[in-house]
Amino acid sequence: MKIAFPVAGSDLSAVLDARFGRAQRFLIVDSDNDTFELLENGSNVDASQGAGIQSAQLVIASGAKALVSSHCGPKAFKVFQVAGIPVLQAPVASIAQLLAKFKAGELEAMTGPDNAGHMG
Amino acid sequence: MKIAVASGKGGTGKTTFSVALVLANRDRARIVDCDVEEPNAHLFLGGPEPVVETVRASIPVVDGDLCTACGACVDFCQYNALALAGSGGLLVFPELCHDCGGCIRICPNNALTEGPVSRGTIETKIIGGDLELVTGRLEVGSPSAPTVIRAAIARAPLLERETTILDAPPGTACSFAACMLAADHCLLVTDPTPFGLHDLALAIEAIREMSKPFSVVINRSLGPDDLASVFCRDQGYAVAMRIAESREIAQACSQGKTLLDAIPGIGQDLRDLLDAILETRATEVSG
């Protein structure tokens, strides 16, 4: 199963980026064999608005079936919700550590956005 | 004839000047407050309770049966107001939509239609039986100031007047442009500070892109050799009027009074100013 992590680094030692919509890139990890690919977040880093929405679409299009993130705003959360993809809340830690937590079933799905969203 | 009173920098005296200009010319001018995020001309003009109309805009509504989730609209939208949610289909975020209508036009499957949403209000009133004030007011949380500005400017006049004064929003972004595009002449109000001058230059750059005639009003002027005056002289920009820095004006404004109350004789100057703009315009049109 593919899982997406917002990161600034580029491998499993990278630390989870506390930002979702404006993260540098996403690490898409296959939890079955611990292989990963990198997905650049491109222009969304500097989008004037709707960065979370764009990033959510990028993650969904990658084939990921879950997102692990520290935070998720209302618009991105809605996109994930409609797409049927859970947002698993996690503290800022290395992706390797979080992957272990995921496999152990220790990451819980958020039931709603955890901030009020940002305009601009 | 529409005359926009704009600045660039906020707080240079756009509304102070616009209000005085329309009061001095109330027999031949009306005023539209286009600073829709925080309109304030009504504070100085008073008058009866206004008639309020809702400004509606068209946002896309998705027909799930026709949408093939091709993503053409998502790619087109510059404001990220549309999103493909995997198997969940297409989502619309009205709070990000700028009402351009582009997605509806480009959809290859005609799956998007126009649905109305409220963006703000237009308040209209006649003060003292002969002065018309139109106020655009953006709804809190709405992203689309230009929609309300254009609607306020397009509002059918209640009184027949040859001139409409547009009290423009500050800045040089979309709201400013929406106002300037409707104008035949721009009066740029500046103060003689480095900040005022910096933003005046930006405003002039934007106005030149639109090929609009303009002249400069120097408010709180420190004399013929202050920063703004020297700048205009060096650049060859016309100075339409200079209002001297004065404690009396500041006091009058803080009490809700106008320039006409604070400066004896300025009423005639403001009539002469409008005459000059109208004459120039007549020459331009016939020439």
Side-chain angles (χ1 to χ4, degrees):
Chain A
M1 173 176 164
K2 284 186 177 177
I3 313 150
F5 299 85
V7 290
S10 55
D11 57 34
L12 293 177
S13 67
V15 171
L16 193 70
D17 194 327
R19 303 168 305 169
F20 165 67
R22 295 179 193 277
Q24 281 293 322
R25 61 186 70 86
F26 295 98
L27 204 61
I28 311 292
V29 184
D30 189 332
S31 61
D32 297 333
N33 54 22
D34 289 3
T35 58
F36 63 86
E37 52 192 299
L38 286 170
L39 192 58
E40 292 298 324
N41 200 19
S43 58
N44 297 336
V45 175
D46 300 316
S48 62
Q49 62 174 28
I53 295 171
Q54 288 293 92
S55 300
Q57 292 180 94
L58 196 66
V59 166
I60 293 165
S62 77
K65 297 301 172 202
L67 169 76
V68 175
S69 183
S70 293
H71 303 286
C72 188
K75 300 186 199 80
F77 190 84
K78 186 175 174 189
V79 177
F80 284 119
Q81 196 174 32
V82 171
I85 291 177
V87 180
L88 307 174
Q89 195 155 30
V92 171
S94 80
I95 303 308
Q97 287 170 316
L98 294 175
L99 191 59
K101 277 181 184 287
F102 171 77
K103 288 177 181 173
E106 290 172 13
L107 298 181
E108 286 189 19
M110 293 169 65
T111 54
D114 70 339
N115 66 47
H118 337 275
M119 284 301 285
Chain B
M1 173 82 179
K2 293 189 182 69
I3 300 173
V5 179
S7 62
K9 175 180 175 287
T12 58
K14 287 181 296 301
T15 301
T16 302
F17 186 78
S18 303
V19 164
L21 185 60
V22 78
L23 283 172
N25 293 281
R26 59 194 299 161
D27 57 319
R28 55 179 178 167
R30 56 198 280 277
I31 179 168
V32 181
D33 193 342
C34 298
D35 191 1
V36 302
E37 290 180 57
E38 195 57 73
N40 61 349
H42 63 283
L43 298 177
F44 296 95
L45 291 170
E49 284 297 302
V51 175
V52 181
E53 300 156 80
T54 302
V55 178
R56 297 198 182 281
S58 293
I59 61 157
V61 175
V62 191
D63 183 332
D65 292 335
L66 294 177
C67 178
T68 60
C70 71
C73 56
V74 176
D75 292 340
F76 177 84
C77 182
Q78 297 294 301
Y79 302 102
N80 296 331
L82 293 147
L84 274 178
S87 56
L90 187 64
L91 285 176
V92 180
F93 292 89
E95 67 272 38
L96 298 184
C97 176
H98 282 53
D99 319 320
C100 77
C103 57
I104 296 168
R105 285 188 184 83
I106 64 148
C107 176
N109 305 300
N110 297 318
L112 298 173
T113 50
E114 293 189 359
V117 65
S118 162
R119 287 304 193 201
T121 54
I122 294 176
E123 304 165 4
T124 312
K125 65 164 114 180
I126 294 175
I127 300 144
D130 64 346
L131 174 57
E132 179 180 349
L133 166 67
V134 177
T135 300
R137 191 182 294 278
L138 186 68
E139 205 162 275
V140 172
S142 169
S144 196
T147 303
V148 179
I149 291 169
R150 283 191 290 265
I153 295 172
R155 174 74 170 75
L158 296 176
L159 298 179
E160 203 174 306
R161 295 286 183 263
E162 66 178 318
T163 299
T164 296
I165 294 159
L166 309 175
D167 185 8
T172 51
C174 298
S175 299
F176 167 86
C179 200
M180 293 307 115
L181 283 170
D184 302 300
H185 185 95
C186 302
L187 282 169
L188 295 170
V189 184
T190 189
D191 51 31
T193 62
F195 185 3
L197 216 54
H198 174 269
D199 282 15
L200 173 66
L202 289 178
I204 290 173
E205 198 179 333
I207 285 171
R208 290 195 142 169
E209 286 283 321
M210 297 181 248
S211 306
K212 299 285 182 183
F214 66 90
S215 46
V216 179
V217 173
I218 303 173
N219 191 17
R220 305 186 61 184
S221 175
L222 303 172
D225 294 317
D226 65 24
L227 269 179
S229 300
V230 170
F231 173 77
C232 290
R233 202 152 57 222
D234 288 350
Q235 301 291 326
Y237 299 144
V239 175
M241 189 177 248
R242 204 177 263 114
I243 300 166
E245 162 83 346
S246 126
R247 188 178 174 83
E248 286 69 32
I249 296 174
Q251 271 173 342
C253 289
S254 70
Q255 292 162 1
K257 293 179 185 165
T258 72
L259 286 177
L260 298 186
D261 301 312
I263 314 176
I266 196 174
Q268 188 55 49
D269 295 342
L270 290 165
R271 289 191 74 84
D272 294 346
L273 172 63
L274 183 54
D275 282 340
I277 294 172
L278 292 172
E279 271 168 36
T280 313
R281 173 70 179 162
T283 313
E284 279 166 10
V285 171
S286 64

